[in-house]
Each structure stands twice: as structure tokens, then as C-alpha cells.
Amino acid sequence: MAAVFYRVSSDSVPIVQKEASRYAGYVNGAQPDERVSALIDFSVNKMRRLIAPQAVCDTFSLDRPDEGILSFAGIRIMNESLSRNLKNCNRVVVFAATIGPRVDMFIKRTVFEDSAAGAVMQGVGAMFIESFVDMLNCDLADYFKKSGYRTHPRFSPGYGKVPLTVQKNIFGVLPCSKIGLSLTDSMTMSPEKSVTAFIGVEKEVS
């Protein structure tokens, strides 16, 4: 299967206010005050006009040559956490997604002027990329369901002891540059509000 590009309009990405607050640091029932709530609303409305949601993904056959080892697209990854996530899967979707560089520039400019406001906007940016990736996940789940398969929860480098160095593997099998995504020497991505992940694909048992 060749790489597939996934693009949606900025207006179609759902806004989840509760998640924006959570990413901004309001957890365990804490609620933002009136000033912060107004800043969240402002940031959401501003970023809605700045985001450029796009992703690229590909599906590969998945082999397990040995305990804890995953093999696909000429890559071998030894990681127990990822292996557990992909249990019973014979295919894996690899994807990279971003909401574009304009959000990063907006946040950096705000942080320079007001670090507290910048932290809130970081949370709103995180909400937008996660919301976009959730859209992609749902569409992939629907696509595979038609063929009698189900998808596992996405699993990203940096989670569950999967090292960030695995980013190199993802960038090696996907044309990430075509969605404006690059990898730094420290294995972080540019633009910052971007996500890479694996999604296991398992045959449903009737």
C-alpha cells in the first residue's frame, strides 16, 4: 500500500474545551478562572484560523520474528510495550500528523510577550493536534472495519518506554517532508504541534 495523505479543513477539527483546559494544566477537577477561560476562547478562535491539519500514513505487514521483536517495512523494533499494544495484529498503520507551523509561530510570539498566556496557548494547540489525530483514528477504524478488521489504540514514540529514537524509523518509511514535517537531532518534530504513532490492525473474530 502506498502512502496516503489525509487533509481536512480547519473548520472540521472538533473543539474540545475541556481538553484545552486540561492540556493547559487544569486537571483533577480544577477550573480556569474567568480571565483564563477568556484566554482559552481567544486562543481557540485565533488558532482555528491558523491550523493546517494534514497527515500521511501507510500500512505494512507486521511480523514477529522473536519475543518482543516487531518487523515491518524492513525495520526491526525490539520493545515490549509496543509489542503488547500490537498483540494479535498482522498489520500496522504508521502515521505522522501536524497542524502546521503557523500555530508554533503564534505560540512562540505569545510566550515571548506573556509566558502565562503562552502556556494556555500551548494547551489549546495540543488540543487541536490531538483532536485532529482522533479524527484520523476514527476514519482509519471505519476503513478497516469494512474489511473485517479492528484497530488498536494509537501508540506514539515516547510512550511506554518506546524511545524517541523510533521517530527515525517513522520518518524513514513515510514522506513526512511532504506535509512540512521534519525531525531534529534531538528527535523532536518541527512543527512542534505534531504527532507520530503506530496503530495495530487486528482481524475481528466473528
Side-chain angles (χ1 to χ4, degrees):
M1 179 178 175
V4 174
F5 292 92
Y6 178 88
R7 296 181 174 93
V8 300
S9 68
S10 60
D11 290 340
S12 67
V13 180
I15 294 170
V16 188
Q17 292 280 7
K18 182 185 293 186
E19 289 299 283
S21 297
R22 183 173 72 84
Y23 286 120
Y26 292 87
V27 297
N28 299 323
Q31 298 295 320
D33 60 25
E34 186 175 330
R35 174 184 170 277
V36 173
S37 293
L39 183 56
I40 290 174
D41 289 340
F42 167 79
S43 301
V44 165
N45 291 329
K46 177 70 174 180
M47 285 189 198
R48 169 71 89 190
R49 301 192 296 272
L50 297 177
I51 62 174
Q54 52 186 330
V56 59
C57 60
D58 206 341
T59 305
F60 304 98
S61 296
L62 179 64
D63 297 315
R64 298 171 182 272
D66 207 343
E67 183 75 22
I69 296 178
L70 304 167
S71 176
F72 62 93
I75 296 167
R76 286 168 65 94
I77 298 175
M78 185 174 182
N79 186 274
E80 291 184 5
S81 297
L82 183 58
S83 184
R84 283 195 301 271
N85 178 266
L86 300 178
K87 184 179 179 180
N88 298 325
C89 297
N90 61 3
R91 285 191 279 176
V92 60
V93 176
V94 184
F95 78 78
T98 185
I99 52 174
R102 297 175 69 195
V103 169
D104 280 10
M105 290 187 287
F106 174 57
I107 292 173
K108 287 176 182 177
R109 186 167 61 247
T110 303
V111 168
F112 180 77
E113 298 170 353
D114 183 341
S115 59
V120 170
M121 292 179 185
Q122 287 280 10
V124 173
M127 179 275 293
F128 269 120
I129 181 60
E130 291 296 324
S131 188
F132 170 52
V133 170
D134 285 344
M135 287 182 68
L136 171 60
N137 285 186
C138 287
D139 285 348
L140 286 168
D142 290 343
Y143 171 79
F144 285 107
K145 187 176 180 62
K146 293 174 183 176
S147 301
Y149 288 84
R150 71 178 185 90
T151 55
H152 286 212
R154 66 179 180 266
F155 205 94
S156 293
Y159 293 164
K161 297 183 180 179
V162 176
L164 283 177
T165 52
V166 172
Q167 299 275 43
K168 286 184 177 180
N169 298 128
I170 294 176
F171 275 71
V173 299
L174 294 177
C176 296
S177 62
K178 291 189 176 180
I179 60 169
L181 194 55
S182 61
L183 190 62
T184 70
D185 291 340
S186 61
M187 299 297 113
T188 58
M189 289 180 287
S190 180
E192 181 182 329
K193 292 297 179 279
S194 304
V195 171
T196 57
F198 304 96
I199 299 177
V201 181
E202 178 184 353
K203 184 69 175 177
E204 286 192 315
V205 179
S206 56

